[in-house]
């Protein structure tokens, strides 16, 4: 997969971004692991800002966009050297009926396979240290 826009749940995302947004560099914000079900939620900031934001967003001067992915039926979860303040490169592929997801940098790694991925967001906020 090349674009966040291609994931399920991207309806609102596609309303605030007029062009496809490439899956790539992210700044990890949170990982939530549900121990009762095989679900994980990853939240992160992306460098792109919506180019067609709602009026409310325009008025407030937001400078950072946060999205997330809600992952169902996760398997083979590997996490190494997290938390990290360093950016990660996200790669999502779907060679068959299973997604393969990897977020990594030279020191850290999050990788897994999953049956379903749902895009969450976007939301925006004011960040005094925009470094994505």
């Amino acid at each position: 997969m090349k674009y966040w826009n291609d994931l399920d749940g991207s309806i609102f995302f596609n309303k605030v971004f007029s062009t496809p947004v490439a899956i790539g560099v992210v700044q990890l914000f949170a990982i939530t692991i549900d121990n009762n079900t095989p679900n994980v939620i990853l939240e992160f900031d992306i460098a792109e800002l919506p180019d067609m934001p709602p009026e409310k967003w325009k008025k407030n001067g937001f400078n950072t966009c946060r999205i997330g992915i809600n992952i169902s039926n996760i398997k083979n979860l590997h996490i190494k050297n997290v938390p990290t303040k360093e950016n990660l490169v996200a790669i999502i592929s779907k060679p068959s009926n299973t997604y393969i997801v990897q977020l990594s940098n030279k020191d850290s790694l999050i990788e897994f396979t999953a049956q379903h991925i749902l895009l969450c967001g976007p939301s925006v906020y004011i960040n005094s240290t925009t470094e994505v």
Side-chain angles (χ1 to χ4, degrees):
M1 301 192 102
K2 292 183 179 184
Y3 304 105
W4 296 114
N5 312 63
D6 296 334
L7 293 172
D8 286 345
S10 64
I11 293 170
F12 181 58
F13 190 90
N14 289 326
K15 287 183 179 183
V16 298
F17 285 99
S18 64
T19 60
V21 178
I23 296 171
V25 176
V26 301
Q27 176 67 53
L28 184 65
F29 175 72
I31 301 173
T32 305
I33 300 173
D34 186 337
N35 199 40
N36 293 320
T37 61
N39 290 352
V40 170
I41 298 172
L42 298 175
E43 297 174 77
F44 38 81
D45 295 340
I46 59 174
E48 297 81 359
L49 284 173
D51 60 337
M52 299 187 317
E55 284 302 316
K56 180 180 176 181
W57 290 7
K58 291 178 189 177
K59 293 177 185 176
N60 289 310
F62 298 118
N63 63 359
T64 305
C65 182
R66 179 162 294 160
I67 62 172
I69 51 176
N70 186 327
I71 305 109
S72 302
N73 297 322
I74 192 166
K75 293 183 180 177
N76 304 314
L77 175 63
H78 298 279
I79 300 175
K80 176 183 158 192
N81 294 330
V82 172
T84 180
K85 295 292 183 189
E86 300 297 320
N87 288 342
L88 300 164
V89 175
I91 299 170
I92 301 175
S93 61
K94 190 176 181 186
S96 60
N97 291 332
T98 302
Y99 290 94
I100 300 170
V101 179
Q102 183 181 70
L103 290 85
S104 64
N105 61 28
K106 64 182 179 70
D107 298 316
S108 303
L109 173 70
I110 302 168
E111 68 179 349
F112 53 86
T113 60
Q115 290 298 313
H116 190 257
I117 298 177
L118 181 69
L119 183 69
C120 303
S123 62
V124 290
Y125 67 99
I126 297 172
N127 182 352
S128 61
T129 59
T130 56
E131 296 179 13
V132 176

